Amino acid sequence: MIEPHDDQHGNEREAAVSEADDRRASEAERIAEALVFASAQPVSEAFIAERVAKDIDVAAIMRKLKADYAMRGVNLVQIDGAWAFRTAADLSFVIRRDESEVRKLSRAALEVLAIIAYHQPVTRAEIEDIRGVQTSKGTLDVLMESGWVRFRGRRRTPGRPVTLGTTRDFLDHFGLEELRDLPGIEELKGAGLLSGRIPANFSIPSPLMSDELTEDEDPITQMDLEELGLLPPSGESSGD
């Protein structure tokens, strides 16, 4: 037979444990909020998990914070699996654009960026095959300088052409959480970016959902970077 005072002590212990858990969760939430706020780059859940109690559900903490900020002037958004604070989309018009913002892209650059986004990993030759015209080095340079396009690897085919893909900055700039959020055919039609008289068999490819190299890609090495002109030859001194 359980005495009444035993039940009382049990309830008190449960209440104390629950209160302690709430305090730890609240502290973890504050830490996560501070880490994201203080970072100039999106912060991964793994980074946050290293700085809070081990048994804290970081994903749940971030979902709660996201809901808390949903109606504020800044929102907590997820970008390629990481978290960042961004101005609420409906208030972007009141934020003055920085004069150093990336210059307006040409039509050619927009076409190349779209092909890379939807077809990645893709080579320059494949981009030209899709567009039907040659792609100038300057066009790719602009996209690389903007930080929206990167070298992924090298294709395991003759000549080992470089493969291209988009970056986290690309997702951030265009307000996408992940590549699966890229607009589909109906959305593109609605925005006037596709003609209403497109071929019946026209389709938009599903973009790659992972940054992992595919089976026909090799990683880029330091020698590759030297060949691409991104690093000085290893035998040369960088000078003063």
Side-chain angles (χ1 to χ4, degrees), residues 12-230:
E12 289 175 353
R13 283 195 297 271
E14 289 179 6
V17 170
S18 178
E19 184 178 348
D21 287 343
D22 289 344
R23 285 199 303 268
R24 291 167 64 254
S26 178
E27 183 66 11
E29 187 175 321
R30 294 178 65 241
I31 291 172
E33 185 178 26
L35 289 172
V36 177
F37 179 81
S39 177
Q41 299 296 326
V43 178
S44 69
E45 291 182 6
F47 181 84
I48 297 170
E50 292 174 355
R51 287 154 178 80
V52 298
K54 290 184 178 179
D55 57 346
I56 291 293
D57 186 344
V58 174
I61 290 291
M62 301 313 293
R63 288 195 297 270
K64 182 179 182 300
L65 277 173
K66 180 179 181 179
D68 290 345
Y69 276 90
M71 300 305 294
R72 299 188 186 182
V74 292
N75 298 153
L76 181 64
V77 300
Q78 193 170 21
I79 306 164
D80 194 25
W83 295 88
F85 283 114
R86 294 291 181 262
T87 303
D90 61 327
L91 297 180
S92 59
F93 72 96
V94 301
I95 305 300
R96 181 177 299 173
R97 292 183 177 276
D98 193 309
E99 292 181 358
S100 64
E101 186 177 78
V102 178
R103 60 183 178 274
K104 185 176 180 180
L105 294 181
S106 66
R107 181 181 179 85
L110 285 171
E111 289 178 356
V112 171
L113 180 60
I115 290 170
I116 293 173
Y118 283 97
H119 291 263
Q120 60 187 302
V122 63
T123 67
R124 179 173 174 175
E126 290 166 345
I127 292 171
E128 293 176 346
D129 185 53
I130 294 169
R131 293 186 67 218
V133 295
Q134 286 191 332
T135 299
S136 71
K137 183 178 182 297
T139 297
L140 286 174
D141 285 344
V142 167
L143 296 176
M144 299 288 287
E145 290 167 7
S146 72
W148 296 343
V149 168
R150 66 184 177 89
F151 294 125
R152 282 179 49 95
R154 305 204 78 159
R155 185 69 53 74
R156 294 177 182 174
T157 56
R160 300 185 66 244
V162 175
T163 56
L164 300 164
T166 53
T167 65
R168 178 178 288 172
D169 285 345
F170 164 79
L171 296 175
D172 193 2
H173 183 86
F174 290 97
L176 304 171
E177 288 191 7
E178 53 188 357
L179 287 173
R180 73 174 73 250
D181 295 326
L182 284 167
I185 290 181
E186 296 305 319
E187 291 171 290
L188 292 173
K189 283 183 183 178
L193 299 176
L194 277 182
S195 167
R197 299 178 61 185
I198 58 177
N201 62 346
F202 179 83
S203 64
I204 293 178
S206 298
L208 190 70
M209 290 296 111
S210 171
D211 284 338
E212 296 294 326
L213 295 176
T214 58
E215 292 183 358
D216 66 345
E217 285 181 290
D218 285 322
I220 289 196
T221 65
Q222 179 167 329
M223 186 178 298
D224 293 323
L225 294 176
E226 293 174 5
E227 181 184 326
L228 295 167
L230 300 180

Side-chain angles (χ1 to χ4, degrees), residues 222 226 231-237:
Q222 179 167 329
E226 293 174 5
L231 287 178
S234 55
E236 290 185 9
S237 171

